[in-house]
Amino acid sequence: MTYDLCIADRGYSSWSLRGWLLFAAFGLQPRLTVARLYEPAFAETLKTFFPARTVPALRLPEGVVIAESLAIAEELATRHPEAGHWPTDPKARAIARALAAEMHAGFTALRSHCPMNLRLSYTGCEPPQAVLDDLARLETLWAWARAETGASGPWLCGEYSVADAFFAPVAARVAGYALPVSPAAQAYVEAHLAHPAFRRWRAMGLVDGPDQSFYDRPWPRRAWPGPAPLPAEACDGPAINAACPYSGKPVTHFLRVRGQVIGFCNAFCRDKTLADPEAWPQAMALLQP
Ligand SMILES: N[C@@H](CCC(=O)N[C@@H](CS)C(=O)NCC(=O)O)C(=O)O
């Protein structure tokens, strides 16, 4: 059963992140096509996903394309009930669905003033009142979900669900623009930044395509407030491994981490690992203690 998922620049495309998390955070793997935002080829690429005109666009195994994140969530949840997209408890499930739907339809001020940019973090963005209102609504929703579902861990409705996948790019915006939130909301943001699938996506987003000037802002920058990556550098071989940890193919591209050289079968897989080695357990497993 093959799913073809079309996404755009991982560093910037918030809806692509949601679509991808609906797979990666629930143990599913699509075949990816990557389009580039703001390039003529974007529309060309999407022609192969008719009738989609935005990403994410998902071609189901039957051949039909659906290009709305909520529809993708519902299809995957129905087709893979074991994957846990929605909470099984009826009350928690209803709340998770309400959260995902409100996210999908709302928060327009936050979305337009603070577009997702995983490549850096700004300070001094001075959010206007409409963004502060959106942040207040997030605080209300997040606290309500926790109180009603009795969630005691990091996620809103118990286990990580579609609701959390939908708020992951919102957490990235709070982190990326140093937005003012309560300690409880900040803890939720930090849980997203440390989530294994989010970390893998961001590592890819750091090296996936050029910087997009559309997202430049004139504000001071600070270090990304998520987990600090292990220092690593590109280098020459030989490596401690002959086969790429991801594909099993012979290694051609190398990096050094913790004083050891690991090889990969292409530049992208080397570079995404270089960006955040600990996001990639298959690569880290190669290292000698
Ligand atoms: N309602 C859509 C929104 C998708 C969307 O707006 N995606 C953006 C990228 S983050 C896009 O494709 N923009 C390109 C365009 O509008 O031309 C969904 O639920 O997935």
Side-chain angles (χ1 to χ4, degrees):
M1 183 183 287
T2 303
Y3 292 104
D4 279 309
L5 181 67
C6 186
I7 58 168
D9 313 46
R10 294 175 180 86
Y12 305 104
S13 178
S14 57
W15 289 107
S16 296
L17 168 55
R18 290 185 181 93
W20 183 81
L21 283 173
L22 294 172
F23 285 87
F26 298 94
L28 304 172
Q29 205 173 0
R31 192 164 58 192
L32 286 180
T33 300
V34 183
R36 292 274 161 237
L37 293 166
Y38 315 114
E39 286 188 6
F42 183 83
E44 284 304 309
T45 305
L46 276 184
K47 277 185 187 162
T48 63
F49 284 81
F50 182 84
R53 59 188 176 88
T54 56
V55 288
L58 176 64
R59 182 176 297 105
L60 296 168
E62 295 82 5
V64 70
V65 169
I66 51 174
E68 280 289 317
S69 317
L70 266 182
I72 293 172
E74 292 298 357
E75 269 315 305
L76 292 179
T78 305
R79 288 163 188 253
H80 302 277
E82 74 295 343
H85 285 88
W86 296 114
T88 48
D89 173 70
K91 181 176 167 185
R93 186 175 61 230
I95 290 169
R97 281 197 160 120
L99 293 183
E102 184 161 338
M103 172 60 245
H104 190 264
F107 302 99
T108 45
L110 176 63
R111 281 156 60 184
S112 63
H113 191 74
C114 303
M116 192 183 85
N117 179 352
L118 299 178
R119 293 195 166 174
L120 45 78
S121 180
Y122 290 112
T123 59
C125 112
E126 294 182 11
Q129 190 57 47
V131 173
L132 296 175
D133 292 347
D134 276 351
L135 292 173
R137 179 65 183 160
L138 285 174
E139 299 269 6
T140 299
L141 282 182
W142 292 352
W144 169 73
R146 284 182 190 290
E148 287 292 329
T149 63
S152 54
W155 309 116
L156 295 177
C157 304
E159 298 295 315
Y160 188 100
S161 75
V162 172
D164 300 298
F166 269 53
F167 283 119
V170 173
R173 288 173 160 98
V174 173
Y177 296 88
L179 296 174
V181 292
S182 68
Q186 187 62 35
Y188 181 56
V189 167
E190 284 165 18
H192 277 289
L193 304 190
H195 184 268
F198 180 92
R199 258 180 102 165
R200 293 203 303 278
W201 175 272
R202 177 168 181 265
M204 292 187 280
L206 291 173
V207 300
D208 168 24
D211 286 350
Q212 294 271 18
S213 58
F214 175 85
Y215 297 86
D216 284 347
R217 294 294 182 274
W219 301 317
R221 297 175 184 190
R222 62 171 185 169
W224 180 253
L230 272 183
E233 59 182 354
C235 63
D236 293 328
I240 56 175
N241 58 309
C244 175
Y246 309 126
S247 69
K249 293 180 187 165
V251 298
T252 51
H253 292 71
F254 305 92
L255 67 77
R256 182 177 292 105
V257 60
R258 285 194 179 142
Q260 299 173 54
V261 176
I262 312 177
F264 304 87
C265 72
N266 64 61
F268 179 65
C269 287
R270 189 266 313 275
D271 293 344
K272 74 184 187 185
T273 314
L274 187 60
D276 187 1
E278 287 175 306
W280 305 98
Q282 290 155 287
M284 291 302 288
L286 295 170
L287 295 176
Q288 311 297 322

